[in-house]
Amino acid sequence: MKKLTTLSAALMLTTTAANAGGLDRSGQSIGAIFEDGRYVELSYGHVMPSVTGLFMGSADSGNIAPAYGSFGGAYKMDVDDKVSLAFIVDQPFGADVSYEQAGYPLVGTNAQVTSKSLTVLGRYKFNDNFSVHFGPRALQAEGNVTITAPAAYMSTYQPGSGYGYVAGAAYERKDIALRVALTYASGIDLELDGDGAGGFGDLTVEMPSSWNLDFQSGVAADTLVFGSIRHVAWSEAVIQDAAAGDLVSYDQDTTTYSLGVGRKFSDTFSGALSIGYEKAQGALASNLAPTDGNMSIGLGGTYTLANGVELTGGVRYVMPGDATTETIGADFSNNSAIAVGLKVAYTF
């Protein structure tokens, strides 16, 4: 079942990386802490969105969502038979949007936000079934924003860092590959210095807290069902310029669901199929994120080399929900995204 659990984690990653609520990208997985023995992994995801809208039924925005990539990695080790430690790096939040179509009211508006995170996670096993995990998380973000309407705004933000924590618990049964893990990640506050004068362009950011419920279970010989529920409290997030006010605000939290089934076809190859869903909120969308909810389907496979290295690849097709934007009331519909991911893992 090990290849199936590796594969399920990779497919669940592409669920959030492709098009989750707010600025969410990685889903902040802690799956590495549950691997057996000493373990290392590297992953990369690449997302190719197509997001277009119409203003007043005729002015075409063009594709306002450039392709982007995301890296991740983890190293896990056992301290003794009860205590293990993992170091997890990812790029949990981000944004890429650019209005370049001449004649569209927001031409010249663009935003790029990147982040990186390090989580140091410890796990304590009370017995073969119950465990708890806890550790600090550091987050750094930077970016730039240019807004052309209704009021001009432009700033480049220097990297700013903040700190939070991760805590949770898990129940396992090895005989049926069952694991249910609930994990809480605290909110993190950031201060990003902008290049404006007199405080204009400086950014105060409160990234939201989140809950992840991850589960898997064997249901038949060589067959695994897996899934996740991720709830992010975007309504508590603040992205505010010290002088200009809120740049982006969210009225509601988001909950993203994923469910899949994996099958071991041979000693070296396993495959999996999964679906994802995030409910549309129905409110006006930000011009910097003009979609509302999504549905997706993903397919992946894991191949184990003779030396024990596991190669996992996955592809996901995402259908972002239609949205009407605030300020100018443009309609964005019939959009899509394709996400591909690759993970290399080794247990030693």
Side-chain angles (χ1 to χ4, degrees), residues 27 49 61 73 77 90 94 123 125 133 154 161 173 185-186 190 200 208 221 246 256 258 263 292 307 331 335 346:
S61 70
M77 59 177 288
D90 67 345
R123 182 188 183 208
K125 296 173 63 176
H133 46 275
M154 181 170 63
S161 299
R173 277 188 55 186
S186 70
L190 306 171
F200 184 83
D246 289 349
T256 306
S258 177
R263 176 73 178 174
D292 189 8
N307 60 6
D331 292 320
N335 297 304
Y346 183 61

Side-chain angles (χ1 to χ4, degrees), residues 41-310:
E41 69 175 38
L42 293 173
S43 62
Y44 175 74
H46 188 73
V47 182
M48 297 160 284
S50 176
V51 179
T52 61
L54 289 175
F55 172 68
M56 299 294 289
S58 59
D60 190 348
S61 70
N63 184 15
I64 59 97
Y68 62 87
S70 182
F71 290 92
Y75 171 74
K76 179 261 180 183
M77 59 177 288
D78 291 328
V79 177
D80 55 33
D81 59 352
K82 289 186 175 294
V83 178
S84 54
L85 189 65
F87 301 86
I88 303 170
V89 295
D90 67 345
Q91 296 178 287
F93 304 107
D96 283 277
V97 59
S98 181
Y99 289 87
E100 300 179 353
Q101 186 71 32
Y104 193 76
L106 296 180
V107 63
T109 293
N110 61 78
Q112 293 81 37
V113 177
T114 60
S115 69
K116 50 190 175 183
S117 174
L118 170 64
T119 303
V120 181
L121 193 64
R123 182 188 183 208
Y124 180 80
K125 296 173 63 176
F126 294 102
N127 50 46
D128 290 340
N129 301 119
F130 293 98
S131 66
V132 293
H133 46 275
F134 178 85
R137 170 173 284 160
L139 174 69
Q140 184 184 80
E142 60 185 298
N144 60 82
V145 173
T146 299
I147 298 175
T148 57
Y153 175 90
M154 181 170 63
S155 185
T156 297
Y157 312 112
Q158 299 301 311
S161 299
Y163 304 90
Y165 66 91
V166 176
Y171 174 77
E172 296 178 279
R173 277 188 55 186
K174 295 283 188 180
D175 57 327
I176 57 172
L178 171 68
R179 183 198 306 134
V180 180
L182 181 64
T183 304
Y184 172 78
S186 70
I188 297 179
D189 296 341
L190 306 171
E191 298 287 342
L192 307 183
D193 293 333
D195 57 5
F200 184 83
D202 294 342
L203 207 62
T204 297
V205 180
E206 296 179 20
M207 299 309 295
S209 61
S210 63
W211 288 92
N212 280 20
L213 177 64
D214 301 302
F215 56 90
Q216 65 176 51
S217 179
V219 292
D222 298 327
T223 304
L224 184 81
V225 169
F226 60 90
S228 68
I229 302 172
R230 174 167 170 80
H231 180 83
V232 185
W234 282 106
S235 60
E236 68 185 30
V238 174
I239 303 176
Q240 184 180 74
D241 184 279
D246 289 349
L247 294 187
V248 179
S249 61
Y250 303 96
D251 294 329
Q252 301 180 51
D253 300 343
T254 62
T255 303
T256 306
Y257 303 88
S258 177
L259 182 65
V261 60
R263 176 73 178 174
K264 179 181 176 182
F265 294 103
S266 71
D267 290 339
T268 58
F269 180 74
S270 298
L273 176 70
S274 68
I275 56 174
Y277 172 73
E278 183 179 296
K279 181 182 178 180
Q281 299 179 354
L284 292 177
S286 167
N287 290 290
L288 300 181
T291 62
D292 189 8
N294 70 80
M295 296 183 65
S296 66
I297 184 168
L299 181 66
T302 292
Y303 183 79
T304 303
L305 304 178
N307 60 6
V309 173
E310 292 182 333

